[in-house]
Amino acid sequence: MARGGVDADVVIAGGGIAGLATALALRRAGVSRDVVVLERHAELRDTGAAITVFPNGWFALRALGVAHKLTSRYGAYDTSKVTNLETGATQVFRFAGNKASSEEVRVRPIHRKALLQALAEELPPGTIRFSSKLVSIDTEPVANGDSSEIAVVRLDDGTVIRAKVLIGCDGVHSVVARWLGMSEPVSSGRSCVRGLSVFPSGHRVKFEIRQFLSEGLRAGMMPICHTDIYWFLVNNTVPAGNLTLGKNAFTEKEAAGDPIKTLNEVTDNIASHMPAEYLEVVRHSDHDNLSWAPLLYWNPWSLLTGRAARGAVTVAGDAFHPMTPDMAQGGCSALEDAIVLARALSRAATPAEGVASYVTERRWRVAWIVAGAYLSGWVQQGGTNVSGVRGYLVKLFRDLIFYRFVFPKLADTMWFNCGGLTPRKEGKYHLE
């Protein structure tokens, strides 16, 4: 292949939480100042509207030096109330268990875009290249003739970039993961509607995390601030064509592309029996921050055995370990990835060794989180598409055992401290 194009130390595909956090971590750890983040959209994305950051996420944000910018803006929660609409029983469980928490390291729902902006404003201008879509990846040997390779990425505008390190932070259907040979994520059998409701004059909803359970459904809402409330509804995926309003039949995918249709389906059909307070919140949804999508995940065994690296090419965030949102660990684990990857690259003799060390360190933890999230969602919803005696036993386990004994164990994973980053010496970068 003829020479040409642009050279970079590190190329990161994807400008979401994983991508921006990784770019910042690489600079904080002194890996490289020559980092390019490719974001296919024209601006920072706020898809998902909100994210709940647990202690492990705050530990990572503290290592990145941005936690203080967010904890001062958002209130913390210590407990969650879960009401079983079939029995009327309400259980309260603590996120912290027996662990002591500082004011900073607590559970906080925050605006996703606020997190992205907090990370982006710490990066030098020009680090994020917007409207840049990765379309293909290749490799070529380095000029000095040793066994290492350079990643060659091509963008949809024809630009070619050669990178010493390529990190795929490009989401569930990652181009980089596919190039590495990682399998596609599979369906959990459930889907989720997510929304952000806005009350310009302020809402009257109590500042607490509420969840509601019924047959095949789990709904929840949590105020983010005095005007905004994040809400969600997890349902067993409805077979194609089985959603109906009036005489019209349509699919979840079709409804997802139409905010009015989505909201009507939630309030008038799927969740019509939910508490009036919840439905009132749903009706105030911002149409630009509404989504309905199947919940995908990667089999934990695949995480332990799959190929997540080739030379100095690897993945992070959803591209590495797609998971269901039932423990709210997608964003938090992506923040952990950023710290661990940057630290591994800063200490390794070669980029390939750093990447290999990172993958080895992360495999078992993310496999456990993916498994825990899937189990948590499956049990809380009463067993996905399970009925009869089996369904009754799952619900009995959920109501009598899961919240009291199992959830506290799962919550321990949310208190993991991924460690810090050694600040670079002025003027010294590891890859230069």
Side-chain angles (χ1 to χ4, degrees):
M1 187 181 74
R3 294 290 298 179
V6 180
D7 292 329
D9 283 343
V10 182
V11 169
I12 298 173
I17 294 172
L20 298 185
T22 299
L24 181 55
L26 293 173
R27 291 187 63 85
R28 293 278 196 251
V31 175
S32 176
R33 77 181 86 210
D34 184 18
V35 179
V36 177
V37 178
L38 305 175
E39 171 52 50
R40 63 189 181 92
H41 292 85
E43 60 183 3
L44 293 177
R45 293 167 288 163
D46 56 1
T47 302
I51 175 176
T52 304
V53 181
F54 280 81
N56 58 319
W58 291 115
F59 285 129
L61 289 170
R62 190 163 63 185
L64 291 170
V66 300
H68 65 283
K69 298 196 296 184
L70 296 164
T71 54
S72 60
R73 295 174 54 186
Y74 295 98
Y77 293 93
D78 294 315
T79 61
S80 176
K81 290 184 179 179
V82 181
T83 299
N84 186 331
L85 297 180
E86 297 174 8
T87 65
T90 295
Q91 297 191 55
V92 179
F93 59 88
R94 289 178 51 81
F95 295 119
N98 296 320
K99 297 180 182 294
S101 61
S102 66
E103 177 58 31
E104 183 180 89
V105 183
R106 295 169 68 189
V107 178
R108 285 178 168 84
I110 67 176
H111 293 93
R112 181 179 292 268
K113 196 158 189 176
L115 173 56
L116 295 178
Q117 289 172 338
L119 295 168
E121 64 190 19
E122 296 294 317
L123 297 170
T127 298
I128 308 171
R129 177 171 172 158
F130 292 105
S131 301
S132 298
K133 183 179 179 181
L134 173 63
V135 294
S136 69
I137 305 168
D138 203 347
T139 60
E140 63 181 31
V142 297
N144 61 19
D146 64 22
S147 60
S148 58
E149 295 179 320
I150 294 290
V152 182
V153 301
R154 292 176 176 81
L155 310 185
D156 59 350
D157 64 0
T159 301
V160 176
I161 307 177
R162 291 174 175 80
K164 297 176 184 176
V165 179
L166 172 61
I167 305 167
C169 299
D170 47 343
V172 174
H173 301 292
S174 166
V175 175
V176 180
R178 192 177 304 119
W179 182 81
L180 287 170
M182 300 171 70
S183 59
E184 284 291 319
V186 297
S187 172
S188 66
R190 297 178 294 131
S191 300
C192 184
V193 188
R194 298 178 177 94
L196 182 70
S197 294
V198 180
F199 298 77
S201 300
H203 61 76
R204 297 182 179 180
V205 175
K206 187 176 181 180
F207 276 77
E208 60 183 8
I209 298 177
R210 295 294 309 277
Q211 293 188 69
F212 309 99
L213 308 177
S214 70
E215 185 68 36
L217 293 177
R218 182 166 66 92
M221 61 182 186
M222 60 193 79
I224 302 174
C225 59
H226 290 285
T227 58
D228 298 351
I229 301 174
Y230 170 69
W231 64 270
F232 67 86
L233 176 71
V234 183
N235 63 284
N236 292 337
T237 300
V238 181
N242 280 18
L243 292 176
T244 58
L245 280 176
K247 298 181 180 179
N248 300 316
F250 50 90
T251 67
E252 284 188 4
K253 186 176 182 179
E254 291 169 338
D258 185 334
I260 300 297
K261 188 176 289 186
T262 295
L263 289 178
N264 287 340
E265 181 64 28
V266 170
T267 59
D268 299 346
N269 188 10
I270 297 178
S272 60
H273 61 294
M274 288 290 167
E277 183 181 38
Y278 174 81
L279 294 175
E280 181 64 16
V281 168
V282 172
R283 293 188 181 101
H284 279 78
S285 295
D286 174 10
H287 290 182
D288 292 331
N289 282 294
L290 191 66
S291 64
W292 192 357
L295 298 181
L296 307 177
Y297 75 109
W298 217 32
N299 186 299
W301 179 250
S302 298
L303 278 169
L304 295 175
T305 60
R307 185 178 187 177
R310 171 180 167 181
V313 179
T314 191
V315 282
D318 287 343
F320 185 9
H321 41 73
M323 65 184 73
T324 62
D326 303 289
M327 286 172 51
Q329 284 297 296
C332 293
S333 59
L335 293 170
E336 290 181 21
D337 290 343
I339 303 299
V340 175
L341 176 54
R343 189 168 57 229
L345 286 170
S346 71
R347 295 175 177 177
T350 67
E353 290 178 8
V355 163
S357 175
Y358 153 75
V359 171
T360 299
E361 182 174 347
R362 292 298 289 163
R363 278 191 194 277
W364 283 97
R365 172 156 173 79
V366 295
W368 167 245
I369 295 175
V370 169
Y374 179 86
L375 174 66
S376 178
W378 189 85
V379 170
Q380 288 186 82
Q381 211 154 316
T384 305
N385 297 318
V386 173
S387 59
V389 175
R390 290 179 61 201
Y392 171 79
L393 292 175
V394 172
K395 292 177 183 178
L396 195 65
F397 172 78
R398 176 193 67 194
D399 297 338
L400 298 181
I401 298 175
F402 178 79
Y403 286 121
R404 296 181 184 179
F405 304 106
V406 178
F407 183 83
K409 297 297 182 182
L410 295 176
D412 285 345
T413 65
M414 305 171 186
W415 286 82
F416 175 78
N417 188 340
C418 61
L421 297 169
T422 303
R424 67 177 178 84
K425 295 180 180 179
E426 193 64 33
K428 300 286 187 180
Y429 283 90
H430 190 59
L431 291 183
E432 297 178 352

